[in-house]
Amino acid sequence: MLFIDTDPGVDDALAILMAHARAPGVAGLGIAAGNVGLHHTTANALKLVELMGVSTPVFPGAPQPLVRRAADAAFVHGADGFGDTGYLPARRAAHNEHAALALLRLSHAHAGELVLVALGPLTNLALALSLDPQLPSRVARLVVMGGAVTGQGNASVAAEFNFRFDPEAAHIVFSRWPRFDLVDWELTLRHALDFERFEHWLAGGDARAAFFAAISRKARAVNRARRHPGIIVADALAMAVALRPELIINAEERAVAIELDGGLTRGATVVDWQQRRTGAVASARIVLAVDQPGFEQLVAAALGARTG
Ligand code: RIB
Ligand code: CA
């Protein structure tokens, strides 16, 4: 059973489609502010759930980071977070239970079998953890998309967007969660999706592919303009790791800290690669390589397309 904390966001949308196309069940979507404001990320999640025709509950979370405000990513995802397509809003409403409280409740209801996937800033997870430090003991697995493990960020020189947006939240989760899988920005760049192959999936897919083609048009143009090696979908890669952990080809367990004060480095992931005897716990399993065909099969299936 999955619980997905997310700031949809275009790549979040693909990850959510992947989860519903394959997972044993999605207990809920916890919504964060990040790519764009909470109003839009919540509306986008509701639209996706309606498009898929599923009853997955949507729980809005924190409207801003824990301590300091941060810039959003509307320049990639569009002002509304879904490519400014002007889609007809979903008819259904979000639940009036806070994402952090819903996560705690569902961690009891599905104790020991919940796979928690964090695809946005970690504000809601940090709040849940602060309310109940025992949360990790009830969660089977945590997969986090975030960070830049050798300091090659996207939101700043050194920091990746999710952790740059709420560094204090990332610090709380990283310092208190005993072990988790980390899918960082640099891994995502190594697992870009070929532009032409991706366009083929969009053209040959179903209504999900048509919707994703529309909401991702702006983001795909940014990918090309930035001369990325292909379509970069960080959250989709993290979801592939969550859905099929056997796709992990290589990973290293290391202690990772979050920089909170650096003028140039706030939000950066500081990895103890040499495993100095600092006493810090090597709680992060840093994923370093993923089976690309297996990843692509999950993406294509989520769009109703075939990889062959
Ligand atoms: O840095 C990539 C991450 O930031 C992804 O989760 C993307 O959706 C944005 O939230
Ligand atoms: Ca995201």
Side-chain angles (χ1 to χ4, degrees), residues 240-306:
V241 165
L243 293 171
R244 292 192 61 198
E246 70 276 16
L247 293 180
I248 297 174
I249 293 174
N250 183 20
E252 298 272 356
E253 297 188 356
R254 290 293 188 278
V256 183
I258 306 293
E259 172 58 48
L260 301 179
D261 304 313
L264 296 174
T265 55
R266 176 166 161 77
T269 37
V270 182
V271 181
D272 181 3
W273 287 110
Q274 284 75 36
Q275 301 187 82
R276 302 176 195 286
R277 283 174 289 284
T278 60
V281 176
S283 55
R285 179 167 71 151
I286 301 171
V287 181
L288 296 170
V290 172
D291 177 86
Q292 185 74 8
F295 168 39
E296 296 190 0
Q297 273 173 357
L298 289 170
V299 171
L303 299 168
R306 297 172 58 82

Side-chain angles (χ1 to χ4, degrees), residues 6-13 33-36 73 76-77 118-121 145-147 153-155 159-163 165 184-185 188 232-236 238:
T6 175
D7 60 335
V10 170
D11 59 328
D12 302 74
N35 282 318
V36 289
V76 174
H77 298 267
L119 303 176
M145 190 284 132
N154 56 7
E160 174 277 332
F161 177 83
N162 287 335
F163 297 171
F165 190 85
D184 82 315
W185 176 249
T188 302
I232 309 298
V233 275
D235 295 336

